[in-house]
Amino acid sequence: MVFQDPASSLDGRQHIIDAIGEPLRVHGLATRSDVRAKVGKLLDEVGLPQSALDRYPHEFSGGQRQRIGIARALALGPDLIFADEPVSALDVSVQAQILKLLETLRRERNLAFVFISHDLGVVRYFCQRVVVMYLGRVVESGPVPEIFVDPLHPYTKLLKVSSPEPDPARAVAMSFQEGEPPSPVSPPTGCHFHPRCPLADQHCRSVRPELREVAPGRAVACHKVA
């Protein structure tokens, strides 16, 4: 697991060698005599110097702390890593560095990622497939290029038009209801998105749409999609 906030996900009282080395010792993958060398190798893989071993988390920048978090996630040699908003707390320039690092690790270690993000630009850059969720339900899934070029579910379309446009001359027309999403504790009946959807009718308000395949590799949960 790679967490969203690299500061709070690390124990401020632990040296970096202990933060990364603890799972190695707990799972019997390193002894006290060789843990330093193994942790040092992990730090080198994420672009940090050996001098980081004996320092504390507060002595590093946000991007460096996230590299430490990535090294900790790699420690046990996983096949799958869950990355929960791993770059949202970082500056844009640092985001690019971390994404390139994750891409390199994915290729060299043959890793799979479940990458959770609200940043569509990051999703488009890093991911091959995307699952769009609204109030805890999957509303659409498919390959990234197809979802971004031709979104099918009204919520996916809302996400797309809500993304900032670099051209100020291009006006964004939104036909969706404004306001905050309903509470996930007490969601609407039927389709959860119906209070904000311009296409909603009584059927949408009363009957929950099932996630169904509408094309090879693409699925959508919407009554209005043929």
Side-chain angles (χ1 to χ4, degrees):
M1 182 83 182
V2 177
F3 297 92
Q4 178 177 1
D5 185 354
S8 63
S9 66
L10 295 169
D11 187 341
R13 298 169 296 178
Q14 274 189 322
H15 288 108
I16 302 308
I17 186 174
D18 296 318
I20 301 175
E22 185 174 25
L24 293 172
R25 294 194 298 269
V26 168
H27 291 276
L29 300 177
T31 62
R32 289 190 177 276
S33 60
D34 63 1
V35 69
R36 190 175 187 88
K38 291 189 175 183
V39 173
K41 186 177 179 180
L42 286 167
L43 289 179
D44 182 65
E45 195 171 1
V46 298
L48 289 175
Q50 299 294 303
S51 59
L53 286 166
D54 300 309
R55 295 163 64 187
Y56 290 99
H58 74 269
E59 299 180 69
F60 298 90
S61 67
Q64 289 173 324
R65 283 194 290 260
Q66 195 60 293
R67 289 174 186 269
I68 294 167
I70 293 168
R72 182 176 58 180
L74 295 172
L76 300 183
D79 297 317
L80 172 66
I81 288 181
F82 284 84
D84 181 14
E85 298 272 12
V87 297
S88 64
L90 307 175
D91 293 338
V92 174
S93 60
V94 180
Q95 286 184 10
Q97 296 170 15
I98 296 300
L99 287 171
K100 287 181 180 179
L101 171 62
L102 293 176
E103 192 174 27
T104 300
L105 293 171
R106 177 172 61 185
R107 182 178 63 253
E108 294 180 349
R109 283 180 168 250
N110 195 28
L111 285 169
F113 281 86
V114 174
F115 196 97
I116 304 163
S117 179
H118 291 88
D119 188 327
L120 297 189
V122 169
V123 172
R124 192 169 193 168
Y125 170 81
F126 188 78
C127 302
Q128 285 78 49
R129 289 187 58 82
V130 61
V131 174
V132 181
M133 300 186 71
Y134 184 77
L135 290 184
R137 289 182 182 174
V138 176
V139 296
E140 187 169 356
S141 66
V144 163
E146 296 180 24
I147 294 288
F148 277 84
V149 172
D150 183 28
L152 298 176
H153 194 279
Y155 178 59
T156 312
K157 294 179 181 180
L158 173 62
L159 290 177
K160 182 179 179 180
V161 300
S162 300
S163 298
E165 280 283 351
D167 184 358
R170 295 182 61 182
V172 177
M174 296 178 64
S175 59
F176 297 88
Q177 295 291 328
E178 297 181 359
E180 294 297 321
S183 169
V185 177
S186 181
T189 58
C191 174
H192 284 355
F193 190 61
H194 83 253
R196 305 174 69 196
C197 180
L199 305 177
D201 57 20
Q202 186 54 42
H203 187 59
C204 301
R205 297 182 184 96
S206 57
V207 179
R208 172 183 174 179
E210 297 296 328
L211 185 69
R212 54 191 173 84
E213 189 174 61
V214 294
R218 292 200 67 177
V220 64
C222 180
H223 295 307
K224 300 299 182 180
V225 177

